[in-house]
Amino acid sequence: MFDRAGRGNRAVILHPVFAGTGPEVLDEFQELCRSAGVEVMAVLSAPRDRPDARFFVGKGKIEALAEQVSAMAADLVLVSCPLSAIQERNIEKRCACRVLDRTTLILDIFALRARSHEGKLQVELAQLRHISTRLVRGWTHLERQKGGIGLRGPGETQLETDRRLIGQRIQYLKARLDKVRRQRAQSRRRRERAHVFTVALVGYTNAGKSTLFNALTGSEVDTRDMQFATLDPTVRQLPDIPTGNVLLADTVGFVSDLPHELVAAFHATLQETREADLLLHVIDAADPFHQQRELDVEAVLESVEAGAIPVIRVFNKIDLIDRQVSAHVDADGELERIDVSALQGSGLTELKEAIALRLKGRRICTWISLGARFAKLRSQLFDLGAVSEEKISADGQWLIHLDLAQRDAEQLGRMPGAEGLLVRESILLADRQWET
């Protein structure tokens, strides 16, 4: 075996190429390397029909890789595909240096970027889940392999001990994150009672989400030109929106084939996306591969059950391709795309107007009439803070002016005896004027 170098960022990239692998895969991986502070010395492509069980690539390509690592005094090998534990170990032994696959590199970047307590918990959980599949035996002096006084171990190998300790730590982190999830749920309920909408920025990493977030809210979130420059979610008030209180959330960026460990660990953060009233899908208009990036983001949204939330596609960085601010509507007349430049501030007013129009249709602001048998429904409306005014009609009916989220109206309207009442009555009474 070899002594692993404790430091060093000089790397050789091993890039397996299969049928259908486009140039954007290597381009993205090199950007990931740059974000991690890696100095790329060389890139070695390896065309393959299928992965090799031992090295992932062929034996001849591994020999060429080992020669390049030695000639360039590289500190590590970075592989643009996920590796199994056996493949990673075999490449390490042959090249005599550290080997990191794509998943490990992304986890390392997340560990570098995490700042909040929640973010650090999520990254540690993801790392432990990944490491738990890659434990190797490093020492054996506690194993029960020998007889004699003083030579009997505890009957538990180091691997078993490591797995048990890692399992205990994973359970602890999951419990802490469950507490965070409950706290987020309480915050969402408070926002709903206060009639606060949430708009979430989603999109491929380095598409300009944080720059757009700063331009819309006047914040100062880190906007460095690199992947995963910001990891921890940030929520700020969105000013100058006529629909009332609106919060804008800047979420973590996505990449293609986001590691499952990260999706699971960042469930609490991604849940903010799933619970949003509207998504702004930020797309880098200057990226030649933006169509594939859009599909990758949509796949992640589906995986976190956010695929049904209304979306406005925001094509950012139009200043780089000399495109003018413009808006596009779908067949139903709904705005589904707008072109902006967050850096120059172009199109932001139009974007806010589009957000207001989308959110306005998700609230019921009208009068309804309720009889005495709907006293429980009336009480729940008051509990939600949805009643802005109430009067009594000549026949003893409650005449109530509502300001209520449509989803709450639909939920309350499913009460026994009140099926569809709120939506039905609001339509019937919307244009009527009530006298004092």
Side-chain angles (χ1 to χ4, degrees):
M1 234 4 224
F2 66 96
D3 293 328
R4 288 188 173 191
R7 304 176 65 88
N9 63 348
R10 295 161 55 90
V12 173
I13 291 178
L14 176 61
H15 177 53
V17 180
F18 298 93
T21 301
E24 70 276 6
V25 176
L26 178 59
D27 182 66
E28 177 189 86
F29 190 70
Q30 289 179 307
E31 282 297 313
L32 287 170
C33 295
R34 185 172 70 90
S35 296
V38 172
E39 181 184 358
V40 177
M41 307 302 297
V43 176
L44 185 63
S45 296
R48 296 289 300 175
D49 293 328
R50 60 183 183 273
D52 178 75
R54 185 179 181 189
F55 293 110
F56 198 92
V57 295
K59 185 176 180 181
K61 193 63 67 172
I62 286 297
E63 296 298 331
L65 176 65
E67 292 176 2
Q68 276 200 328
V69 168
S70 177
M72 297 183 175
D75 303 300
L76 65 159
V77 169
L78 298 176
V79 184
S80 61
C81 297
L83 299 176
S84 69
I86 297 299
Q87 291 165 342
E88 185 177 307
R89 183 194 64 184
N90 291 339
I91 297 175
E92 280 193 349
K93 290 174 65 175
R94 182 62 191 90
C95 297
C97 69
R98 289 178 294 141
V99 174
L100 276 67
D101 67 354
R102 184 177 182 275
T103 300
T104 307
L105 180 64
I106 292 177
L107 290 172
D108 186 72
I109 295 173
F110 271 58
L112 185 66
R113 301 283 189 269
R115 293 291 180 268
S116 68
H117 175 65
E118 178 190 355
K120 292 177 181 178
L121 288 177
Q122 291 169 328
V123 171
E124 183 181 355
L125 176 59
Q127 288 178 317
L128 289 177
R129 281 174 166 162
H130 183 65
I131 292 173
S132 64
T133 64
R134 294 166 183 269
L135 296 177
V136 294
R137 184 173 64 182
W139 44 269
T140 58
H141 66 269
L142 290 183
E143 296 181 19
R144 183 174 291 173
Q145 303 248 335
K146 301 177 182 179
I149 298 174
L151 296 178
R152 296 183 179 90
E156 184 175 44
T157 68
Q158 182 213 352
L159 283 180
E160 292 168 339
T161 303
D162 288 346
R163 289 195 183 103
R164 176 170 51 82
L165 294 177
I166 288 176
Q168 291 173 353
R169 182 65 179 176
I170 286 176
Q171 293 303 315
Y172 169 77
L173 293 174
K174 290 173 65 176
R176 294 290 298 274
L177 288 173
D178 283 341
K179 182 178 180 180
V180 172
R181 189 175 296 115
R182 291 193 297 270
Q183 292 171 341
R184 286 186 179 276
Q186 291 175 351
S187 298
R188 281 192 298 274
R189 285 194 292 269
R190 286 196 297 268
R191 292 199 299 263
E192 290 173 357
R193 287 195 295 267
H195 309 314
V196 178
F197 289 109
T198 302
V199 178
L201 292 171
V202 299
Y204 215 79
T205 182
N206 208 27
K209 295 187 305 300
S210 296
T211 303
L212 181 60
F213 180 84
N214 290 342
L216 290 172
T217 64
S219 303
E220 296 182 355
V221 174
D222 188 6
T223 58
R224 285 175 292 175
D225 181 21
M226 63 174 59
Q227 295 186 326
F228 303 119
T230 54
L231 175 60
D232 298 311
T234 307
V235 181
R236 294 288 185 273
Q237 183 84 24
L238 184 59
D240 305 324
I241 295 291
T243 53
N245 293 330
V246 178
L247 294 179
L248 185 65
D250 183 19
T251 62
V252 62
F254 301 150
V255 294
S256 61
D257 300 323
L258 193 65
H260 294 296
E261 295 90 346
L262 283 177
V263 174
F266 279 76
H267 181 77
T269 299
L270 296 174
Q271 190 171 358
E272 289 293 327
T273 300
R274 188 175 65 181
E275 299 293 337
D277 298 285
L278 178 66
L279 300 180
L280 299 183
H281 181 179
V282 183
I283 302 164
D284 184 353
D287 184 354
F289 308 114
H290 71 80
Q291 292 181 335
Q292 181 59 45
R293 311 295 196 210
E294 290 181 56
L295 296 177
D296 293 333
V297 171
E298 291 170 3
V300 176
L301 292 176
E302 288 290 343
S303 70
V304 298
E305 300 177 2
I309 299 176
V311 177
I312 296 177
R313 294 190 300 159
V314 182
F315 280 78
N316 190 25
K317 305 184 183 181
I318 60 173
D319 53 296
L320 299 180
I321 56 175
D322 295 326
R323 183 188 296 175
Q324 299 299 314
V325 174
S326 60
H328 306 266
V329 297
D330 58 19
D332 298 324
E334 289 275 6
L335 188 143
E336 60 94 23
R337 166 184 166 180
I338 186 168
D339 300 337
V340 305
S341 172
L343 188 62
Q344 295 184 347
S346 305
L348 300 187
T349 301
E350 292 82 354
L351 178 58
K352 288 185 177 182
E353 292 174 354
I355 293 172
L357 286 174
R358 278 297 188 96
L359 294 180
K360 185 178 180 180
R362 298 180 63 79
R363 294 194 72 82
I364 294 177
C365 298
T366 187
W367 288 90
I368 66 169
S369 175
L370 297 178
R373 65 191 182 97
F374 294 110
K376 183 177 180 180
L377 175 60
R378 172 179 173 270
S379 174
Q380 292 191 344
L381 290 172
F382 274 98
D383 289 342
L384 286 171
V387 179
S388 57
E389 187 178 355
E390 183 183 49
K391 301 175 184 179
I392 304 296
S393 67
D395 59 355
Q397 298 275 329
W398 287 302
L399 306 178
I400 297 175
H401 188 270
L402 292 181
D403 183 2
L404 179 68
Q406 184 174 340
R407 61 185 177 187
D408 289 334
E410 293 171 351
Q411 182 176 357
L412 291 174
R414 290 193 291 268
M415 291 175 56
E419 290 81 357
L421 174 73
L422 294 181
V423 177
R424 183 176 70 249
E425 292 296 322
S426 65
I427 293 174
L428 291 174
L429 305 176
D431 297 327
R432 294 179 59 178
Q433 299 296 322
W434 300 99
E435 301 295 338
T436 305

